[in-house]
Amino acid sequence: MNAKILETENVTVSFDGFKALNQLNFSMDLGELRVVIGPNGAGKTTFLDVITGKVQPTVGRVLFKGKNLRSLPEHQIARLGIGRKFQTPRIYLNLTPRENLEITSNRNKNAFSTLFGRPDAAEKNSIKGLLETIGLTLKADIPATLLSHGEKQRLEIGMLVAQSPDLLLVDEPVAGLTDEETYNIGELLLALAQSHSILVIEHDMEFVRQIARKVTVLHEGSVLCEGSFEEVQNDSRVIEVYLGQQHE
Ligand code: ADP
Ligand code: MG
């Protein structure tokens, strides 16, 4: 048994000679909530692209639960159990939150429904539970277009969870949100972390402080440092790269 859900070994991604990722070594335990931060251009989005198969490593390997993902197409990697939430919500605005979740879980018929023999009932229960988890029970049946930006983000996280991934990749979930909505997303991710492995990319330091256990700082395509929020925040190298960015 491999207790690591995700590992990258010496991963380099070159775009015409420019190394967006540079010999990146990273690993994350099963069940972990990990936050990855880093200044603009550090390689954070490329890191997610290389995990999901959107981009192939020029050098090195990516392992998911010990399995080498090399050359697998994106849809196959998704089917292995890696789900990704993009920055902008991709939900059906003319449908209700309940319908959005129904569509997603129908598309991903899993062991759950077969196991209980009554797919409809099992599914309804899981959708009811999901609506509670994402805090949209009261708005379950209004068109999603009427939701606030934060509620839309929570719905999309719910849709991701409805696909039952083993690893959730979440790219900048609180960009453009109010403080209250940011806090709600933080609490939602903390709740989901009790039963999922989650990798979150984020800029907002208050948010990182709220949810962080272990933080990885990326810089120029490599891991600059890793540790608790406090350790990372007080690391002189981290302070330097973030200050450098402000002066640009
Ligand atoms: P971050 O998400 O940390 O801001 P990115 O992963 O988006 O950083 O980008 C890392 C670096 O790689 C940036 O300098 C960016 O310009 C470059 N880059 C990303 N994607 C491409 C691409 N498809 N072609 C060329 N350069 C790219
Ligand atoms: Mg990015």
mmCIF file of all heavy atoms in Angstrom, residues 13-16 18-21 37-49 55 87 171-172 201 203 218 220-221 245, ligand 1:
data_model
loop_
_atom_site.group_PDB
_atom_site.id
_atom_site.type_symbol
_atom_site.label_atom_id
_atom_site.label_comp_id
_atom_site.label_asym_id
_atom_site.label_seq_id
_atom_site.Cartn_x
_atom_site.Cartn_y
_atom_site.Cartn_z
ATOM 1 N N VAL A 13 8.591 21.047 -16.720
ATOM 2 C CA VAL A 13 7.759 21.351 -17.882
ATOM 3 C C VAL A 13 8.390 22.540 -18.597
ATOM 4 O O VAL A 13 8.501 23.624 -18.024
ATOM 5 C CB VAL A 13 6.305 21.713 -17.473
ATOM 6 C CG1 VAL A 13 5.529 22.231 -18.679
ATOM 7 C CG2 VAL A 13 5.599 20.501 -16.860
ATOM 8 N N SER A 14 8.851 22.313 -19.814
ATOM 9 C CA SER A 14 9.465 23.394 -20.589
ATOM 10 C C SER A 14 8.512 23.868 -21.667
ATOM 11 O O SER A 14 7.921 23.051 -22.379
ATOM 12 C CB SER A 14 10.744 22.907 -21.280
ATOM 13 O OG SER A 14 11.690 22.488 -20.336
ATOM 14 N N PHE A 15 8.346 25.164 -21.763
ATOM 15 C CA PHE A 15 7.629 25.769 -22.891
ATOM 16 C C PHE A 15 8.678 26.502 -23.715
ATOM 17 O O PHE A 15 9.178 27.532 -23.287
ATOM 18 C CB PHE A 15 6.567 26.766 -22.410
ATOM 19 C CG PHE A 15 5.459 26.147 -21.597
ATOM 20 C CD1 PHE A 15 5.283 26.483 -20.262
ATOM 21 C CD2 PHE A 15 4.570 25.239 -22.174
ATOM 22 C CE1 PHE A 15 4.249 25.937 -19.517
ATOM 23 C CE2 PHE A 15 3.539 24.686 -21.427
ATOM 24 C CZ PHE A 15 3.379 25.024 -20.103
ATOM 25 N N ASP A 16 9.029 25.968 -24.861
ATOM 26 C CA ASP A 16 10.064 26.579 -25.704
ATOM 27 C C ASP A 16 11.309 26.936 -24.905
ATOM 28 O O ASP A 16 11.836 28.051 -25.011
ATOM 29 C CB ASP A 16 9.528 27.854 -26.394
ATOM 30 C CG ASP A 16 8.342 27.548 -27.274
ATOM 31 O OD1 ASP A 16 8.335 26.470 -27.898
ATOM 32 O OD2 ASP A 16 7.413 28.384 -27.308
ATOM 33 N N PHE A 18 11.601 27.596 -21.773
ATOM 34 C CA PHE A 18 11.320 28.219 -20.480
ATOM 35 C C PHE A 18 10.720 27.184 -19.530
ATOM 36 O O PHE A 18 9.735 26.522 -19.859
ATOM 37 C CB PHE A 18 10.349 29.398 -20.652
ATOM 38 C CG PHE A 18 9.908 29.972 -19.336
ATOM 39 C CD1 PHE A 18 10.733 30.851 -18.639
ATOM 40 C CD2 PHE A 18 8.686 29.611 -18.780
ATOM 41 C CE1 PHE A 18 10.338 31.360 -17.406
ATOM 42 C CE2 PHE A 18 8.290 30.118 -17.553
ATOM 43 C CZ PHE A 18 9.117 31.000 -16.873
ATOM 44 N N LYS A 19 11.310 27.046 -18.349
ATOM 45 C CA LYS A 19 10.861 26.000 -17.428
ATOM 46 C C LYS A 19 9.787 26.515 -16.461
ATOM 47 O O LYS A 19 10.102 27.151 -15.455
ATOM 48 C CB LYS A 19 12.053 25.440 -16.647
ATOM 49 C CG LYS A 19 12.992 24.656 -17.547
ATOM 50 C CD LYS A 19 14.210 24.167 -16.799
ATOM 51 C CE LYS A 19 15.066 23.326 -17.747
ATOM 52 N NZ LYS A 19 16.398 23.051 -17.200
ATOM 53 N N ALA A 20 8.536 26.230 -16.791
ATOM 54 C CA ALA A 20 7.428 26.635 -15.917
ATOM 55 C C ALA A 20 7.465 25.807 -14.635
ATOM 56 O O ALA A 20 7.133 26.290 -13.555
ATOM 57 C CB ALA A 20 6.100 26.462 -16.635
ATOM 58 N N LEU A 21 7.856 24.531 -14.754
ATOM 59 C CA LEU A 21 8.163 23.707 -13.582
ATOM 60 C C LEU A 21 9.589 23.230 -13.762
ATOM 61 O O LEU A 21 10.001 22.858 -14.863
ATOM 62 C CB LEU A 21 7.207 22.509 -13.463
ATOM 63 C CG LEU A 21 5.734 22.829 -13.181
ATOM 64 C CD1 LEU A 21 4.929 21.531 -13.081
ATOM 65 C CD2 LEU A 21 5.562 23.658 -11.911
ATOM 66 N N ILE A 37 0.970 27.831 -2.361
ATOM 67 C CA ILE A 37 0.975 29.261 -2.653
ATOM 68 C C ILE A 37 2.229 29.583 -3.461
ATOM 69 O O ILE A 37 3.103 28.735 -3.636
ATOM 70 C CB ILE A 37 0.936 30.124 -1.362
ATOM 71 C CG1 ILE A 37 2.197 29.909 -0.523
ATOM 72 C CG2 ILE A 37 -0.302 29.790 -0.534
ATOM 73 C CD1 ILE A 37 2.328 30.871 0.661
ATOM 74 N N GLY A 38 2.324 30.824 -3.904
ATOM 75 C CA GLY A 38 3.507 31.245 -4.647
ATOM 76 C C GLY A 38 3.167 32.465 -5.468
ATOM 77 O O GLY A 38 2.016 32.634 -5.862
ATOM 78 N N PRO A 39 4.154 33.317 -5.746
ATOM 79 C CA PRO A 39 3.884 34.535 -6.512
ATOM 80 C C PRO A 39 3.405 34.214 -7.929
ATOM 81 O O PRO A 39 3.527 33.080 -8.385
ATOM 82 C CB PRO A 39 5.244 35.244 -6.535
ATOM 83 C CG PRO A 39 6.248 34.219 -6.141
ATOM 84 C CD PRO A 39 5.541 33.175 -5.347
ATOM 85 N N ASN A 40 2.857 35.211 -8.598
ATOM 86 C CA ASN A 40 2.422 35.028 -9.986
ATOM 87 C C ASN A 40 3.539 34.462 -10.831
ATOM 88 O O ASN A 40 4.686 34.889 -10.713
ATOM 89 C CB ASN A 40 1.988 36.372 -10.594
ATOM 90 C CG ASN A 40 0.585 36.734 -10.178
ATOM 91 O OD1 ASN A 40 -0.254 35.847 -9.978
ATOM 92 N ND2 ASN A 40 0.332 38.022 -10.018
ATOM 93 N N GLY A 41 3.207 33.483 -11.666
ATOM 94 C CA GLY A 41 4.208 32.915 -12.552
ATOM 95 C C GLY A 41 5.046 31.830 -11.900
ATOM 96 O O GLY A 41 5.957 31.284 -12.529
ATOM 97 N N ALA A 42 4.741 31.480 -10.651
ATOM 98 C CA ALA A 42 5.529 30.475 -9.924
ATOM 99 C C ALA A 42 5.380 29.078 -10.519
ATOM 100 O O ALA A 42 6.218 28.210 -10.293
ATOM 101 C CB ALA A 42 5.124 30.448 -8.455
ATOM 102 N N GLY A 43 4.267 28.854 -11.256
ATOM 103 C CA GLY A 43 4.046 27.537 -11.853
ATOM 104 C C GLY A 43 2.867 26.791 -11.246
ATOM 105 O O GLY A 43 2.674 25.597 -11.506
ATOM 106 N N LYS A 44 2.052 27.483 -10.461
ATOM 107 C CA LYS A 44 0.960 26.814 -9.734
ATOM 108 C C LYS A 44 -0.065 26.171 -10.676
ATOM 109 O O LYS A 44 -0.428 25.006 -10.507
ATOM 110 C CB LYS A 44 0.254 27.805 -8.788
ATOM 111 C CG LYS A 44 1.202 28.441 -7.766
ATOM 112 C CD LYS A 44 0.490 29.409 -6.855
ATOM 113 C CE LYS A 44 -0.155 30.599 -7.552
ATOM 114 N NZ LYS A 44 0.799 31.540 -8.178
ATOM 115 N N THR A 45 -0.505 26.947 -11.665
ATOM 116 C CA THR A 45 -1.512 26.395 -12.585
ATOM 117 C C THR A 45 -0.899 25.295 -13.442
ATOM 118 O O THR A 45 -1.532 24.257 -13.694
ATOM 119 C CB THR A 45 -2.128 27.527 -13.438
ATOM 120 O OG1 THR A 45 -2.764 28.453 -12.547
ATOM 121 C CG2 THR A 45 -3.158 26.991 -14.418
ATOM 122 N N THR A 46 0.336 25.474 -13.861
ATOM 123 C CA THR A 46 1.029 24.437 -14.634
ATOM 124 C C THR A 46 1.145 23.150 -13.809
ATOM 125 O O THR A 46 1.013 22.040 -14.340
ATOM 126 C CB THR A 46 2.436 24.925 -15.051
ATOM 127 O OG1 THR A 46 2.295 26.177 -15.726
ATOM 128 C CG2 THR A 46 3.132 23.928 -15.968
ATOM 129 N N PHE A 47 1.360 23.309 -12.520
ATOM 130 C CA PHE A 47 1.431 22.162 -11.609
ATOM 131 C C PHE A 47 0.120 21.369 -11.688
ATOM 132 O O PHE A 47 0.126 20.140 -11.853
ATOM 133 C CB PHE A 47 1.700 22.690 -10.196
ATOM 134 C CG PHE A 47 1.780 21.644 -9.133
ATOM 135 C CD1 PHE A 47 2.519 20.486 -9.319
ATOM 136 C CD2 PHE A 47 1.128 21.823 -7.918
ATOM 137 C CE1 PHE A 47 2.602 19.513 -8.313
ATOM 138 C CE2 PHE A 47 1.199 20.867 -6.919
ATOM 139 C CZ PHE A 47 1.936 19.707 -7.122
ATOM 140 N N LEU A 48 -1.018 22.061 -11.617
ATOM 141 C CA LEU A 48 -2.301 21.353 -11.737
ATOM 142 C C LEU A 48 -2.464 20.757 -13.130
ATOM 143 O O LEU A 48 -2.972 19.645 -13.286
ATOM 144 C CB LEU A 48 -3.481 22.295 -11.430
ATOM 145 C CG LEU A 48 -3.583 22.827 -10.001
ATOM 146 C CD1 LEU A 48 -4.904 23.547 -9.789
ATOM 147 C CD2 LEU A 48 -3.431 21.708 -8.972
ATOM 148 N N ASP A 49 -2.019 21.492 -14.159
ATOM 149 C CA ASP A 49 -2.135 20.996 -15.538
ATOM 150 C C ASP A 49 -1.363 19.689 -15.732
ATOM 151 O O ASP A 49 -1.775 18.814 -16.489
ATOM 152 C CB ASP A 49 -1.588 22.039 -16.539
ATOM 153 C CG ASP A 49 -2.503 23.250 -16.666
ATOM 154 O OD1 ASP A 49 -3.669 23.171 -16.231
ATOM 155 O OD2 ASP A 49 -2.036 24.276 -17.195
ATOM 156 N N VAL A 55 -1.099 18.957 -19.507
ATOM 157 C CA VAL A 55 0.269 19.199 -19.970
ATOM 158 C C VAL A 55 1.098 17.977 -19.582
ATOM 159 O O VAL A 55 0.902 17.418 -18.501
ATOM 160 C CB VAL A 55 0.826 20.472 -19.275
ATOM 161 C CG1 VAL A 55 2.321 20.559 -19.400
ATOM 162 C CG2 VAL A 55 0.162 21.722 -19.822
ATOM 163 N N GLN A 87 -11.011 28.101 -11.927
ATOM 164 C CA GLN A 87 -11.207 29.358 -11.228
ATOM 165 C C GLN A 87 -12.618 29.906 -11.408
ATOM 166 O O GLN A 87 -13.244 30.337 -10.462
ATOM 167 C CB GLN A 87 -10.185 30.376 -11.721
ATOM 168 C CG GLN A 87 -9.383 30.978 -10.588
ATOM 169 C CD GLN A 87 -8.182 31.717 -11.128
ATOM 170 O OE1 GLN A 87 -7.256 31.116 -11.689
ATOM 171 N NE2 GLN A 87 -8.194 33.011 -10.997
ATOM 172 N N ASP A 171 -8.358 25.377 -7.777
ATOM 173 C CA ASP A 171 -7.506 26.498 -8.183
ATOM 174 C C ASP A 171 -8.159 27.835 -7.808
ATOM 175 O O ASP A 171 -9.207 28.191 -8.338
ATOM 176 C CB ASP A 171 -7.260 26.433 -9.700
ATOM 177 C CG ASP A 171 -6.041 27.250 -10.129
ATOM 178 O OD1 ASP A 171 -5.431 27.916 -9.271
ATOM 179 O OD2 ASP A 171 -5.704 27.223 -11.329
ATOM 180 N N GLU A 172 -7.554 28.540 -6.903
ATOM 181 C CA GLU A 172 -7.985 29.874 -6.459
ATOM 182 C C GLU A 172 -9.495 30.009 -6.258
ATOM 183 O O GLU A 172 -10.153 30.781 -6.952
ATOM 184 C CB GLU A 172 -7.480 30.934 -7.443
ATOM 185 C CG GLU A 172 -5.965 30.952 -7.501
ATOM 186 C CD GLU A 172 -5.422 32.183 -8.223
ATOM 187 O OE1 GLU A 172 -6.069 33.233 -8.180
ATOM 188 O OE2 GLU A 172 -4.344 32.067 -8.822
ATOM 189 N N ILE A 201 -4.932 25.704 -4.405
ATOM 190 C CA ILE A 201 -4.006 26.764 -4.791
ATOM 191 C C ILE A 201 -4.647 28.084 -4.416
ATOM 192 O O ILE A 201 -5.820 28.294 -4.739
ATOM 193 C CB ILE A 201 -3.787 26.714 -6.307
ATOM 194 C CG1 ILE A 201 -3.152 25.399 -6.615
ATOM 195 C CG2 ILE A 201 -3.028 27.928 -6.796
ATOM 196 C CD1 ILE A 201 -2.078 25.390 -7.570
ATOM 197 N N HIS A 203 -4.064 32.533 -3.288
ATOM 198 C CA HIS A 203 -3.265 33.744 -3.074
ATOM 199 C C HIS A 203 -3.620 34.416 -1.756
ATOM 200 O O HIS A 203 -2.796 35.025 -1.116
ATOM 201 C CB HIS A 203 -3.602 34.774 -4.166
ATOM 202 C CG HIS A 203 -2.780 34.639 -5.386
ATOM 203 N ND1 HIS A 203 -1.429 34.772 -5.374
ATOM 204 C CD2 HIS A 203 -3.116 34.378 -6.664
ATOM 205 C CE1 HIS A 203 -0.966 34.601 -6.592
ATOM 206 N NE2 HIS A 203 -1.968 34.351 -7.395
ATOM 207 N N LEU A 218 5.651 27.546 -3.885
ATOM 208 C CA LEU A 218 6.311 27.356 -5.176
ATOM 209 C C LEU A 218 6.962 28.667 -5.587
ATOM 210 O O LEU A 218 6.409 29.741 -5.364
ATOM 211 C CB LEU A 218 5.287 26.984 -6.256
ATOM 212 C CG LEU A 218 4.831 25.551 -6.444
ATOM 213 C CD1 LEU A 218 4.069 25.443 -7.764
ATOM 214 C CD2 LEU A 218 5.988 24.581 -6.426
ATOM 215 N N GLU A 220 9.452 29.927 -9.078
ATOM 216 C CA GLU A 220 10.176 29.578 -10.303
ATOM 217 C C GLU A 220 10.145 28.079 -10.582
ATOM 218 O O GLU A 220 11.149 27.465 -10.942
ATOM 219 C CB GLU A 220 11.615 30.109 -10.231
ATOM 220 C CG GLU A 220 11.634 31.640 -10.174
ATOM 221 C CD GLU A 220 13.034 32.243 -10.069
ATOM 222 O OE1 GLU A 220 13.984 31.487 -9.814
ATOM 223 O OE2 GLU A 220 13.141 33.470 -10.250
ATOM 224 N N GLY A 221 8.980 27.488 -10.386
ATOM 225 C CA GLY A 221 8.777 26.103 -10.791
ATOM 226 C C GLY A 221 9.307 25.037 -9.841
ATOM 227 O O GLY A 221 9.265 23.852 -10.157
ATOM 228 N N GLN A 245 7.924 40.707 -5.571
ATOM 229 C CA GLN A 245 6.796 40.824 -6.480
ATOM 230 C C GLN A 245 6.109 42.188 -6.345
ATOM 231 O O GLN A 245 5.728 42.805 -7.317
ATOM 232 C CB GLN A 245 5.799 39.716 -6.192
ATOM 233 C CG GLN A 245 4.687 39.662 -7.216
ATOM 234 C CD GLN A 245 3.690 38.561 -6.886
ATOM 235 O OE1 GLN A 245 3.446 38.253 -5.730
ATOM 236 N NE2 GLN A 245 3.128 37.979 -7.906
HETATM 237 P P1 ADP B 1 0.981 30.674 -11.729
HETATM 238 O O1 ADP B 1 -0.294 29.902 -11.851
HETATM 239 O O2 ADP B 1 1.787 30.312 -10.522
HETATM 240 O O3 ADP B 1 0.766 32.153 -11.811
HETATM 241 P P2 ADP B 1 1.621 29.469 -14.295
HETATM 242 O O4 ADP B 1 1.741 28.022 -14.026
HETATM 243 O O5 ADP B 1 0.367 29.942 -14.920
HETATM 244 O O6 ADP B 1 1.933 30.295 -12.965
HETATM 245 O O7 ADP B 1 2.819 29.924 -15.226
HETATM 246 C C1 ADP B 1 4.185 29.684 -14.909
HETATM 247 C C2 ADP B 1 5.048 30.296 -15.989
HETATM 248 O O8 ADP B 1 4.940 29.533 -17.179
HETATM 249 C C3 ADP B 1 4.648 31.719 -16.348
HETATM 250 O O9 ADP B 1 5.836 32.459 -16.566
HETATM 251 C C4 ADP B 1 3.867 31.553 -17.625
HETATM 252 O O10 ADP B 1 3.992 32.688 -18.456
HETATM 253 C C5 ADP B 1 4.508 30.328 -18.263
HETATM 254 N N1 ADP B 1 3.545 29.543 -19.053
HETATM 255 C C6 ADP B 1 2.445 28.921 -18.584
HETATM 256 N N2 ADP B 1 1.800 28.276 -19.565
HETATM 257 C C7 ADP B 1 2.518 28.492 -20.707
HETATM 258 C C8 ADP B 1 2.382 28.081 -22.080
HETATM 259 N N3 ADP B 1 1.368 27.320 -22.472
HETATM 260 N N4 ADP B 1 3.324 28.521 -22.948
HETATM 261 C C9 ADP B 1 4.345 29.293 -22.558
HETATM 262 N N5 ADP B 1 4.545 29.707 -21.292
HETATM 263 C C10 ADP B 1 3.641 29.315 -20.369
#
